[in-house]
Amino acid sequence: MIVSLKSEKVDSQIRLINTILRRDGKFINSRFCFFLGAGCSISSGIPLASQLILILKKLIFIDYHSSINSIVRQPSELIYQYIDRIDSYILKYEIDFEEFVTFTEESFLKQLKRDKQRFNRYISDARNKSNLKILKNLFLQDSLYGLWFEKYSKTPRKRQALVEEIIENTEPSVSYILLSQLIRNGYIRNIFTTNFDDLISYSLLLYYSEKPKVYFHNEIAKYINFEGTKPNIIKLHGDFLYESVKNINSETEYLDPNMEKKFLEGLNNRDIVFLGYNGADESIMNTILKVRTENKFTIFWCGIDEQKLHWRVIKLLNETNDSYFIKIRSFDDFIFELYNQIPEKNEINIVQKAKMTEIEIKNYLDSFNKKRLKRSHKICSEEYSPTKVISEGQELLGKIDANSLTIDTTIKYYRIINELNPNTDWIINNYGVSLLKDNNHSEALDIISEGLMYHKNFPLLWYNIGIVYHDTDRLEDARIAFMKATELHPSFANAFNNLAATYNSQREYKLALSAIEKAIHISRNGKFLVLKGIILKNQKEITEAIKLYDEAIEKQEDLLEAFLNKSNALRLIKSYDLAEEFSLKALLINSEHEYIYATLSQIFAEKGDKNNFYYYLIEALKRNYPIWRHLDDRAFINYKKEERFTDLLKEYCPINM
């Protein structure tokens, strides 16, 4: 098996943010280098490598397929308009398309097997010869980007033209604008990137009149000055406007010598933060290892899930000192949180310099603040089985029902189905639900609100708009929406459950109990027992709450929350050994749940076991446990003045708390 990441290598984004913002005098303008990958540009409309590969597959398929009379690109047709027509065509010839892709990638594998030198180097780097089948598949997957580009065209100019066309009409997201302010204020001065786009330089120039120095060619790389007053953007794989852009395997196997030399120089006593980069690129990763042996610096590798890291990244972090995996929710979220902590927030002269309005920026920042509340008030959504036949779009609906699509594709298909069948209640509902699952509360609110204009008596629309309101902390609006859903559908158990959750958030415990009793009566099972227990616990009825958690456990309902809440309740009545037992049971279900570690830390704090208290508290903090919201908990009373505890607060609490 591929080796997994060591647990001690995982840390939280709060600590990284605090580290970035506590700049020392020596490197006040260049303490950190940032390394940006393709994942940073998704919200700006630039596709990931996997999405580019899919575009290439479609374009090449049309070139190779015999029936192309109706798929000739028009002179004025934009690339995405052309691809949309190709998508419709592929729906008719899906089997042909899949066979073409399978045959082509099998040919790629044969081609790769002949490249023994490169494959042997891959095996040697992975240090795992006992799993050749796994490594061969990984080798193929890592090579597909370059192989499909080469299949598209042997000519650099044609490949560059395609990249340029895909990128040229994109605009920087608000995240890039906020990143630009961080650069302008000196928190970041040197950026390495494998991206071809010019989103950073465009944002700096347009919004802040800051002209960075951009380096994308081996010959000009020698002139990079890391101590200069202007920010540096070093494009390791080139720029989309030039033929020298690197996108096939033979081009990305090694960095150009001057680029490599400057990479080494840039990390001379400067730490580096990786964002949106998967680490599959041999040239980059080998250079990092080489640079690491010659210079001392800290690596902060940001990502969403340490279980899905590329083996090159795992190897780098496990085998090098002072290197960490930082759990983030997304590039956009991380930049927002970093920006939110800086004291100097310069006004952007929107009227003169930008297309974006101040209202859009405010809404963007408000959206992330509301998502913070959503994370602690998450309510499940509900799909609705259609009872009406639709006139068009059955094939797309079948694909959605197969549950094999990404959320982006599901949203795209529902958008099409909704256009084909306007004002159909369950389609509008499911479209809104798919947006909710993608955390797109703003658009979900628009879609569901529009649906309610035509279908005021459809309970699911009220139910799901209630979820939008609850997630964005509009609790009174959520209460009204859930009540409306229960009035229209008196046996709608989930609506009563969510109404109870809303009352609980408003600390209206008697009303919450009344609503949850109705949900339990309707469902006639243990589905909602845990929430009732939480409400009773909030009313200090601990013994009754524990009985409900036990009943939920007996019925195998919501075990994680039942174990966790029972553990917390047992702690409150000082049954510490039992409390520890149920926290450990919860940990077996989800070893990444920050509140399980927090509960264990509180248990050991009250038991007087200082070592275990700090061990579990640090594990909770590394998983983004918001300790600043719980400092009044009795478990922390005896530790508030301890230097070690206050040091942890400085490390992990937001600076403005």
Side-chain angles (χ1 to χ4, degrees):
M1 292 179 63
I2 300 298
V3 178
S4 59
L5 185 69
K6 295 175 182 177
S7 60
E8 62 266 26
K9 290 291 184 178
V10 181
D11 213 334
S12 77
Q13 72 173 19
I14 293 172
R15 188 176 184 185
L16 172 58
I17 288 171
N18 290 346
T19 304
I20 292 172
L21 298 185
R22 294 189 183 106
R23 302 176 296 183
D24 60 45
K26 184 179 179 182
F27 292 105
I28 194 164
N29 283 329
S30 56
R31 176 70 177 82
F32 281 86
C33 294
F34 270 41
F35 190 111
L36 305 186
C40 301
S41 301
I42 300 172
S43 56
S44 299
I46 294 178
L48 290 168
S50 58
Q51 296 167 321
L52 265 175
I53 290 172
L54 183 57
I55 291 171
L56 290 167
K57 289 176 182 178
K58 293 173 181 178
L59 294 172
I60 298 167
F61 173 70
I62 293 302
D63 285 342
Y64 278 73
H65 202 249
S66 57
S67 303
I68 61 171
N69 292 336
S70 60
I71 309 296
V72 176
R73 186 176 179 185
Q74 304 303 313
S76 60
E77 194 172 26
L78 298 175
I79 184 68
Y80 286 109
Q81 293 173 326
Y82 181 47
I83 290 170
D84 283 342
R85 285 204 299 121
I86 292 175
D87 284 342
S88 300
Y89 180 80
I90 288 175
L91 282 175
K92 298 177 184 177
Y93 296 97
E94 190 167 6
I95 294 175
D96 290 354
F97 177 69
E98 290 174 357
E99 287 179 349
F100 164 74
V101 171
T102 301
F103 174 79
T104 304
E105 293 192 350
E106 285 175 353
S107 300
F108 286 160
L109 186 57
K110 293 176 183 177
Q111 177 184 334
L112 288 171
K113 285 179 179 178
R114 292 193 293 270
D115 190 355
K116 291 183 179 180
Q117 182 179 358
R118 186 162 165 260
F119 179 67
N120 288 337
R121 187 169 65 246
Y122 191 92
I123 298 293
S124 175
D125 287 347
R127 292 183 184 173
N128 197 337
K129 295 185 179 180
S130 61
N131 289 282
L132 285 177
K133 187 174 181 180
I134 295 174
L135 288 171
K136 283 179 181 177
N137 181 57
L138 289 174
F139 185 50
L140 173 63
Q141 295 305 314
D142 288 349
S143 304
L144 285 178
Y145 179 81
L147 290 167
W148 277 107
F149 256 111
E150 196 167 4
K151 181 79 171 176
Y152 175 73
S153 177
K154 301 284 186 183
T155 308
R157 176 57 190 157
K158 188 175 179 182
R159 296 196 299 265
Q160 177 272 325
L162 176 63
V163 173
E164 180 177 354
E165 193 170 9
I166 290 171
I167 289 176
E168 65 179 350
N169 292 318
T170 56
E171 294 283 340
S173 66
V174 178
S175 298
Y176 270 105
I177 299 170
L178 301 183
L179 175 62
S180 297
Q181 181 154 327
L182 292 164
I183 295 170
R184 185 192 186 200
N185 289 340
Y187 291 100
I188 312 152
R189 299 304 282 175
N190 299 294
I191 291 181
F192 295 99
T193 182
T194 51
N195 297 345
F196 306 137
D197 59 68
D198 57 0
L199 295 173
I200 307 172
S201 53
Y202 182 79
S203 299
L204 280 165
L205 185 59
L206 184 61
Y207 295 96
Y208 298 104
S209 299
E210 180 87 33
K211 190 175 182 180
K213 292 185 176 181
V214 181
Y215 302 89
F216 57 86
H217 193 278
N218 182 55
E219 289 305 312
I220 62 172
K222 66 179 75 170
Y223 301 111
I224 299 173
N225 177 12
F226 291 106
E227 304 299 336
T229 57
K230 287 189 173 295
N232 295 312
I233 299 170
I234 300 104
K235 308 179 87 165
L236 299 169
H237 283 175
D239 187 283
F240 75 99
L241 293 173
Y242 301 91
E243 282 187 43
S244 58
V245 63
K246 296 183 175 184
N247 44 35
I248 65 174
N249 292 323
S250 60
E251 295 171 341
T252 60
E253 195 170 345
Y254 299 100
L255 277 183
D256 289 331
N258 287 335
M259 284 291 188
E260 183 177 292
K261 181 179 178 181
K262 284 296 179 177
F263 205 171
L264 187 150
E265 181 185 327
L267 294 177
N268 183 17
N269 294 317
R270 292 180 184 85
D271 299 334
I272 186 165
V273 178
F274 287 87
L275 284 161
Y277 179 59
N278 72 354
D281 189 319
E282 181 182 7
S283 66
I284 302 297
M285 297 303 289
N286 285 344
T287 301
I288 294 167
L289 281 170
K290 181 178 179 181
V291 171
R292 191 59 188 270
T293 60
E294 300 187 32
N295 290 336
K296 291 182 179 180
F297 58 91
T298 303
I299 295 174
F300 298 98
W301 197 289
C302 299
I304 297 169
D305 186 355
E306 69 268 33
Q307 302 298 324
K308 297 180 180 179
L309 285 174
H310 192 276
W311 65 261
R312 291 188 188 276
V313 180
I314 295 173
K315 176 185 173 184
L316 172 69
L317 299 182
N318 279 349
E319 296 181 5
T320 59
N321 295 325
D322 213 13
S323 56
Y324 305 95
F325 175 79
I326 307 297
K327 291 177 72 71
I328 65 172
R329 299 180 183 93
S330 67
F331 167 74
D332 299 312
D333 184 276
F334 177 77
I335 294 299
F336 163 77
E337 295 290 357
L338 181 54
Y339 168 84
N340 201 44
Q341 299 303 319
I342 65 172
E344 61 275 25
K345 294 182 175 67
N346 300 333
E347 293 295 327
I348 304 173
N349 194 337
I350 300 295
V351 176
Q352 296 178 6
K353 298 182 179 180
K355 297 177 182 178
M356 186 177 297
T357 66
E358 290 177 354
I359 293 173
E360 286 176 314
I361 291 180
K362 180 181 181 300
N363 289 342
Y364 182 87
L365 298 174
D366 287 348
S367 171
F368 267 107
N369 277 314
K370 289 170 181 176
K371 282 183 182 179
R372 284 174 166 175
L373 293 167
K374 174 187 180 300
R375 291 168 196 136
S376 58
H377 298 97
K378 187 174 183 180
I379 308 174
C380 65
S381 186
E382 176 178 279
E383 288 279 6
Y384 183 73
S385 300
T387 57
K388 303 174 186 177
V389 176
I390 58 176
S391 57
E392 294 183 76
Q394 290 284 359
E395 191 171 2
L396 293 179
L397 189 61
K399 289 179 179 293
I400 294 171
D401 291 341
N403 291 322
S404 60
L405 302 176
T406 64
I407 188 62
D408 289 340
T409 305
T410 299
I411 291 169
K412 177 182 176 181
Y413 284 177
Y414 268 128
R415 185 178 292 117
I416 295 170
I417 295 169
N418 187 45
E419 290 171 355
L420 295 172
N421 303 270
N423 302 329
T424 304
D425 50 15
W426 63 267
I427 292 176
I428 295 170
N429 177 74
N430 283 12
Y431 185 13
V433 166
S434 64
L435 289 163
L436 267 173
K437 289 180 178 178
D438 196 38
N439 286 334
N440 190 342
H441 287 72
S442 176
E443 193 172 347
L445 180 61
D446 290 342
I447 294 298
I448 298 172
S449 298
E450 186 176 349
L452 283 169
M453 292 173 60
Y454 302 98
H455 306 288
K456 291 184 178 180
N457 295 322
F458 191 57
L460 274 174
L461 288 172
W462 286 106
Y463 171 79
N464 284 311
I465 205 168
I467 291 173
V468 176
Y469 289 143
H470 191 286
D471 285 356
T472 53
D473 203 36
R474 294 171 59 177
L475 295 180
E476 188 58 25
D477 289 333
R479 182 189 66 79
I480 293 169
F482 290 134
M483 284 190 70
K484 185 69 175 179
T486 61
E487 290 168 6
L488 293 169
H489 188 351
S491 60
F492 197 167
N494 278 337
F496 280 107
N497 174 72
N498 286 4
L499 178 59
T502 305
Y503 279 133
N504 184 59
S505 297
Q506 294 178 307
R507 300 185 180 183
E508 297 279 357
Y509 298 128
K510 289 184 179 179
L511 293 171
L513 277 175
S514 175
I516 200 62
E517 289 285 7
K518 290 177 182 177
I520 292 170
H521 176 74
I522 293 166
S523 66
R524 297 188 181 278
N525 58 38
K527 186 175 180 182
F528 305 117
L529 292 171
V530 173
L531 178 56
K532 183 179 178 182
I534 292 170
I535 297 166
L536 288 173
K537 186 184 72 173
N538 289 340
Q539 290 185 292
K540 311 301 181 185
E541 297 181 34
I542 309 299
T543 304
E544 293 303 313
I546 291 174
K547 289 179 182 178
L548 287 167
Y549 301 142
D550 285 336
E551 189 178 345
I553 292 167
E554 185 180 342
K555 293 181 178 182
Q556 297 288 299
E557 290 288 348
D558 206 2
L559 285 178
L560 174 63
E561 293 300 320
F563 287 148
L564 177 56
N565 281 284
K566 181 175 180 180
S567 174
N568 205 357
L570 288 165
R571 176 181 73 88
L572 293 175
I573 59 172
K574 301 185 179 181
S575 294
Y576 297 125
D577 291 341
L578 273 176
E580 180 185 350
E581 177 185 332
F582 280 94
S583 273
L584 293 175
K585 286 181 178 180
L587 206 58
L588 289 174
I589 298 174
N590 184 350
S591 63
E592 293 302 314
H593 200 304
E594 66 268 27
Y595 280 97
I596 302 174
Y597 291 99
T599 301
L600 281 165
S601 75
Q602 291 163 320
I603 292 166
F604 285 111
E606 293 182 29
K607 287 177 71 174
D609 186 340
K610 186 176 291 189
N611 288 336
N612 274 317
F613 162 64
Y614 278 114
Y615 170 78
Y616 284 109
L617 179 60
I618 290 169
E619 290 300 310
L621 293 171
K622 285 164 64 173
R623 291 165 176 80
N624 296 314
Y625 169 60
I627 189 173
W628 58 91
R629 296 178 186 165
H630 306 280
L631 290 176
D632 291 333
D633 190 284
R634 74 187 192 194
F636 300 133
I637 290 174
N638 294 328
Y639 293 89
K640 282 186 176 181
K641 294 182 179 179
E642 282 197 5
E643 185 178 353
R644 187 176 180 187
F645 188 79
T646 55
D647 284 346
L648 285 172
L649 293 182
K650 290 175 184 176
E651 286 290 328
Y652 287 99
C653 286
I655 285 174
N656 61 4
M657 296 302 296

